[in-house]
Amino acid sequence: MPPVETFELVLGLLAVVVALHWAARRVGLPPATALLVGGGAPAFVPNLPTLALDPELTLVLFLPPLLLDGAYFTAFGRFRRHLPGILSLAIGAVVFTTFAVGVVTHWLVPNLPWAACFALGAIVSPPDAVSARAVLEGVKLPRRLSALVEGESLLNDATGLVLFRFAVAATMSGLFDAGAAVSSFLFLALGGIAVGLAVSAMWVFVVKRLGEQTLIIMANTLMCWAAYIAGETLHVSGVIATVVAGLVLGWYQHVILPARVRLRGSSFWHTLVFVLEALVFILIGFSLRGVLDRVGGIGAVTTTMAIPILGVVLTIVVARFAWVFGTDGLLALLRGAGLKRARPLGARQATVLIWAGMRGVVTLAVALTLPEAMPGRDLMLVTAFAVIFATVVIQGTSLGWLIRRARPVDVDAPAKMSLPASEAAIARARAAAVEANAYAADGTLIHPQLLAEYRRRLEITERYAADADKFMSGIQTHFDVVLTSLAAGRAELIRIHRAGLIEDEVLHELERDLDVEEMGVILQRGE
């Protein structure tokens, strides 16, 4: 495809993304489902050009920023607290599912070598960070459950990739060394952690010395690719390196990045992630046509591959069910035996955790890297697509309904300070700082209005902390009046600009002040 046509195609896809995202919101579907189905529809329209994804480019283009974004916003305290459960899912569940899929595939397709069956299991076993984020957007989960789902999706790709590489090598060579596989996994994981920490240290060093807002935002953006490419270049896990870098960035950005950089950078970053996340799903759907053409069309799939594909899809759900409920049952037994640190999820949270295992871009990209001579390659490609569609469309669409029906209970102990109490603590610290600097050396009050203002803010905040519900019921009308005054001020600003009374520079400066104030009011209202 010529470069100009490629660019026009990308523009067209972005327009389709906007339309499908809007339509999904209107009908109440997860946007990921609409994008995947909308992208896959052209696969069944005759005479349309085929779009082929380069698997290596897909991984390096889409995966690092989406992984970093997930790690950046991960609650690090909960991530660390629930790390054993996360590793149980990211390693144990992936290995167990790989084995289960391999056994079922060999039973359904006896002429397929065992190693090739396990390669298929490694392709479809890890739930995907991108799919989990996209489907869970707007869904509120208990804190522990949220930490498990997010942490699993960030770390399990490394397990799946190691299993896949060894299964493919065993298929092509006929040799497999379990000890080498375990040592390789440890090397990849520990090496990925080291690379992630090294890139993070370099980021801290660079950002402290840049000074310019745009340069800092660019450095933050490049960090994800720097960590991933450095990890892959050094033959360790680029996935883990990116996740570690994202966790460090999320932890230290509060003390390293200036407020103006966070405000500007977050807007840019959210837009970038939205575009990449949406393009991932629509490109997955678009690339289905090439796979169907390769295997002889949808008719060939339904007549020769339907049973193995259905068997794999059911196996990944049953295997996840067995692992989650099995480990949760073990925790219940240990707690009953007196081990207080063992805290089972319970049936409600376990059920939601099982149904949250969506597959996505990693499953597709890994499947596309299969060697041409790989036995069963066509079956693996079609199965990978079927698993993605089944988990994102069926599980993703019904997850919200399941959460509402199951009503999982948040059993994590709440934080020691509530939001109102935290705001009161901040207000006291700010008022104390103003109090200490409001007087001259001879004791003369030099900032009376500022001191009165911060004393008033402290009084209001402490009344809010004492009874938040009662306070907020009365303050909503206050916010409504403030927003009305902002709208009036903005209308007057536009009027005097359109009348030619002020320059554009003045318009932009005053409009920014109004926007910042409006954003503050909206955040206080909790919108």
Side-chain angles (χ1 to χ4, degrees):
M1 185 180 292
V4 174
E5 291 185 11
T6 302
F7 177 68
E8 291 172 348
L9 175 62
V10 172
L11 293 179
L13 290 179
L14 290 176
V16 171
V17 162
V18 173
L20 290 175
H21 211 281
W22 175 84
R25 295 294 189 192
R26 295 281 292 181
V27 299
L29 283 176
T33 301
L35 293 168
L36 195 59
V37 173
F44 304 95
V45 178
N47 301 322
L48 284 182
T50 299
L51 178 64
L53 289 179
D54 182 280
E56 298 296 336
L57 177 61
T58 300
L59 282 177
V60 77
L61 175 60
F62 292 105
L63 193 57
L66 298 177
L67 280 174
L68 184 100
D69 185 65
Y72 180 88
F73 290 104
T74 293
F76 184 71
R78 287 202 297 270
F79 179 86
R80 182 179 56 192
R81 187 162 59 250
H82 298 301
L83 186 59
I86 291 171
L87 293 179
S88 169
L89 294 167
I91 300 176
V94 171
V95 173
F96 180 74
T97 304
T98 299
F99 178 79
V101 170
V103 171
V104 171
T105 302
H106 193 267
W107 175 57
L108 294 173
V109 190
N111 61 337
L112 197 62
W114 274 106
C117 296
F118 290 127
L120 174 58
I123 290 172
V124 301
S125 59
D128 184 62
V130 181
S131 297
R133 279 172 38 82
V135 172
L136 292 174
E137 180 185 0
V139 175
K140 185 169 180 58
L141 293 177
R143 286 164 292 184
R144 182 183 179 188
L145 194 56
S146 177
L148 291 174
V149 172
E150 293 173 0
E152 174 198 15
S153 64
L154 290 174
L155 297 180
N156 59 14
D157 291 334
T159 307
L161 288 171
V162 171
L163 293 174
F164 171 77
R165 289 168 183 169
F166 272 90
V168 171
T171 304
M172 305 306 290
S173 65
L175 301 173
F176 176 72
D177 187 340
V182 173
S183 60
S184 175
F185 176 77
L186 292 175
F187 172 76
L188 289 171
L190 295 176
I193 292 173
V195 169
L197 292 175
V199 172
S200 303
M202 186 179 302
W203 169 79
V204 172
F205 177 82
V206 170
V207 166
K208 283 183 174 180
R209 288 158 178 79
L210 285 177
E212 171 61 37
Q213 295 182 51
T214 304
L215 297 180
I216 295 175
I217 293 172
M218 182 60 67
N220 294 345
T221 305
L222 292 176
M223 184 182 177
C224 60
W225 284 291
Y228 184 85
I229 293 173
E232 294 298 310
T233 302
L234 295 174
H235 304 292
V236 297
S237 175
V239 170
I240 293 180
T242 307
V243 170
V244 170
L247 290 172
V248 174
L249 174 58
W251 182 260
Y252 282 103
Q253 55 95 9
H254 308 288
V255 295
I256 291 177
L257 300 181
R260 62 185 184 277
V261 170
R262 281 197 300 274
L263 286 173
R264 291 184 59 188
S266 62
S267 299
F268 166 76
W269 185 254
H270 282 306
T271 303
L272 174 66
V273 168
F274 169 80
V275 170
L276 293 177
E277 196 173 82
L279 283 178
V280 162
F281 288 104
I282 203 164
L283 287 173
I284 288 174
F286 260 80
S287 58
L288 175 61
R289 182 179 184 85
V291 175
L292 290 179
D293 290 343
R294 175 187 172 88
V295 300
I298 190 66
V301 172
T302 55
T303 55
T304 63
M305 300 181 183
I307 293 178
I309 290 173
L310 180 61
V312 170
V313 172
L314 293 176
T315 300
I316 63 173
V317 176
V318 173
R320 188 171 177 86
F321 177 92
W323 182 267
V324 171
F325 271 100
T327 54
D328 206 52
L330 178 60
L331 289 175
L333 290 175
L334 292 174
R335 188 169 182 85
L339 184 61
K340 299 302 181 183
R341 295 187 62 183
R343 297 170 55 238
L345 285 168
R348 294 183 179 186
Q349 293 204 61
T351 301
V352 174
L353 180 60
I354 291 167
W355 208 241
M358 284 73 65
R359 274 64 172 176
V361 61
V362 175
T363 292
L364 173 64
V366 171
L368 291 174
T369 63
L370 285 164
E372 291 290 335
M374 184 75 177
R377 185 176 189 269
D378 291 343
L379 172 63
M380 295 182 190
L381 285 173
V382 177
T383 303
F385 272 100
V387 167
I388 294 171
F389 271 84
T391 55
V392 172
V393 175
I394 298 176
Q395 293 180 219
T397 303
S398 58
L399 183 61
W401 172 86
L402 178 65
I403 292 172
R404 290 191 295 272
R405 295 287 301 214
R407 295 194 298 273
V409 179
D410 197 341
V411 296
D412 268 16
K416 295 181 179 179
M417 291 184 68
S418 64
L419 173 63
S422 303
E423 291 182 337
I426 294 171
R428 280 192 290 272
R430 296 183 65 182
V434 172
E435 188 96 32
N437 293 275
Y439 298 89
D442 59 0
T444 304
L445 180 60
I446 55 176
H447 298 298
Q449 291 181 328
L450 192 62
L451 181 59
E453 169 67 16
Y454 273 83
R455 284 175 173 171
R456 186 183 66 84
R457 289 187 184 184
L458 176 58
E459 179 189 354
I460 292 174
T461 308
E462 288 184 331
R463 282 197 288 115
Y464 166 57
D467 191 347
D469 293 336
K470 181 179 179 181
F471 184 86
M472 288 304 297
S473 64
I475 205 172
Q476 289 298 331
T477 56
H478 165 82
F479 288 141
D480 291 339
V481 174
V482 174
L483 289 174
T484 301
S485 73
L486 286 168
R490 186 173 283 106
E492 177 63 13
L493 176 63
I494 297 300
R495 187 193 69 79
I496 59 178
H497 173 261
R498 298 294 187 263
L501 301 176
I502 58 174
E503 297 290 345
D504 283 12
E505 293 82 1
V506 176
L507 167 69
H508 296 313
E509 185 75 20
L510 296 178
E511 185 178 47
R512 184 193 63 187
D513 293 341
L514 292 172
D515 290 344
V516 170
E517 187 176 351
E518 181 175 341
M519 180 60 67
V521 173
I522 290 173
L523 289 174
Q524 290 181 68
R525 289 179 59 162
E527 297 180 1

